[in-house]
């Protein structure tokens, strides 16, 4: 990884066209019976439009994917805190980004704190949050761009 | 009639929940990675979202039962407010874990539109045979009289 310092922007990534079938799979794995994830009539009754609603945990996972790619492994993520601000619906594109807020050298690597977010492309903020990631010098991170 | 904030705090703060157990089955791990558009991990490290899944499947009560504890009425709307994952060590596919769970802080505030918004924090600690692996802290919001 090139220099990481306070203010460094994480490369932005986009999860394109959230799929209704994926939302159903996650509902099964979560054992989540909320019908807004699979029943369009329920979505309509809830006044949420005409597309099923992505789980907040799935949108949070797009941030996890982003951090894992950036840091080089899933194990590098030490913490992630997310506040859920708005819904992501099937068909939405979701943009994920972050900015470094702290860099501290610790035993075994460098602990990087970031502000992170997930936005519906062309729309609302879905998640705002923060993360801590351990950057291990032995596992270089791909450069930006 | 909606329960008072004082009664909610008294009834739920620091209440222990049953907790539970989970094994990350390999087929579920594969399906989840695909559904989340995640690159599979060659070393068997589970997607960190398994902490969130574990917290929901292993609270020891269902979300519906949590709503009953919160005295959710027909006009009250449940919202997922926030989620914090602390990963001490990664969870692994094919491995079993157990949890302890409790309700943490219970609070209430008034939103900009004047609605009462009660919050219930649920803390789930996840451990394997060789000790703790992480903690998930979720905050559920009940917007009273919003439906």
């Amino acid at each position: 990884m090139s220099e990481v310092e306070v203010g460094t922007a994480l490369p932005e990534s986009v999860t394109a066209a959230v799929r209704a079938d994926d939302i159903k799979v996650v509902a099964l794995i979560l054992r989540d019976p909320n019908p807004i994830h699979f029943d369009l009539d329920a979505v309509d009754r809830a006044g949420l439009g005409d597309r099923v609603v992505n789980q907040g945990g799935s949108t949070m996972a797009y941030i996890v994917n982003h951090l894992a790619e950036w840091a080089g492994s899933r194990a590098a993520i030490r913490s992630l805190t997310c506040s859920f601000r708005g819904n992501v619906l099937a068909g939405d594109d979701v943009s994920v980004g972050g900015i470094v807020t702290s860099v501290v050298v610790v035993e075994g690597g460098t602990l990087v704190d970031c502000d992170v977010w997930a936005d519906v492309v062309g729309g609302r903020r879905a998640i705002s949050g923060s993360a801590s990631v351990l950057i291990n010098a032995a596992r270089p991170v791909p450069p930006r761009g | 009639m909606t329960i008072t904030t004082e009664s909610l705090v008294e009834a739920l703060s620091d209440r222990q929940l049953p907790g539970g157990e989970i094994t990350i089955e390999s087929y579920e791990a594969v399906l989840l990675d695909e559904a989340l558009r995640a690159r599979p991990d060659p070393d068997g490290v589970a997607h960190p979202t398994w902490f969130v899944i574990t917290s929901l499947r292993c609270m020891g009560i269902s979300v519906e039962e949590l709503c009953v504890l919160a005295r959710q009425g027909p006009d009250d709307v449940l919202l997922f407010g926030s989620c914090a994952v602390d990963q001490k060590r990664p969870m692994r596919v094919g491995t079993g874990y157990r949890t302890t769970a409790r309700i943490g802080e219970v609070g209430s505030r008034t939103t900009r539109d004047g609605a009462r918004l009660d919050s219930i924090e649920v803390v789930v600690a996840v451990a394997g045979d060789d000790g703790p692996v992480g903690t998930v802290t979720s905050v559920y919001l009940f917007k009273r009289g919003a439906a």
Side-chain angles (χ1 to χ4, degrees), chain A residues 3 8 11 29 34 39 46 50 52 67 71 77 81 90 95 100 107 110 120 130 132-133 139:
Chain A
E3 291 293 318
T8 298
I29 294 172
N34 190 334
D39 181 347
D50 58 1
V52 292
L67 293 169
I77 299 169
T81 298
S95 169
V100 173
E107 188 177 338
T110 302
V120 175
S130 59
S132 290
V133 179
R139 300 189 71 168

Side-chain angles (χ1 to χ4, degrees), chain B residues 23-111:
Chain B
T23 296
I24 302 178
E25 303 291 352
S26 60
Y27 75 95
E28 286 190 300
V30 169
L31 290 171
L32 185 76
D33 281 348
E34 287 187 9
L36 299 179
R37 317 271 186 102
R39 189 192 305 269
D41 187 287
D43 301 324
V45 173
H47 196 285
T49 296
W50 276 100
F51 280 96
V52 181
I53 294 165
T54 299
S55 73
L56 281 165
R57 282 170 52 170
C58 300
M59 263 194 293
I61 62 171
S62 66
V63 172
E64 286 83 355
E65 289 169 316
L66 181 68
C67 292
V68 171
L69 289 177
R71 311 290 199 276
Q72 183 183 25
D75 295 330
D76 299 342
V77 173
L78 170 64
L79 304 166
F80 195 23
S82 66
C83 182
V85 174
D86 285 309
Q87 178 174 250
K88 294 185 191 309
R89 291 183 290 127
M91 298 177 81
R92 302 192 66 83
V93 177
T95 302
Y97 298 92
R98 63 188 180 283
T99 70
T100 55
R102 66 179 175 84
I103 293 176
E105 285 186 24
V106 178
S108 186
R109 65 182 174 85
T110 302
T111 63

Side-chain angles (χ1 to χ4, degrees), chain A residues 48-67:
Chain A
L48 296 173
D50 58 1
R51 293 178 285 158
V52 292
V53 179
N54 202 28
Q55 290 86 359
S58 292
T59 308
M60 185 175 176
Y62 305 151
I63 297 175
V64 170
N65 294 345
H66 187 63
L67 293 169

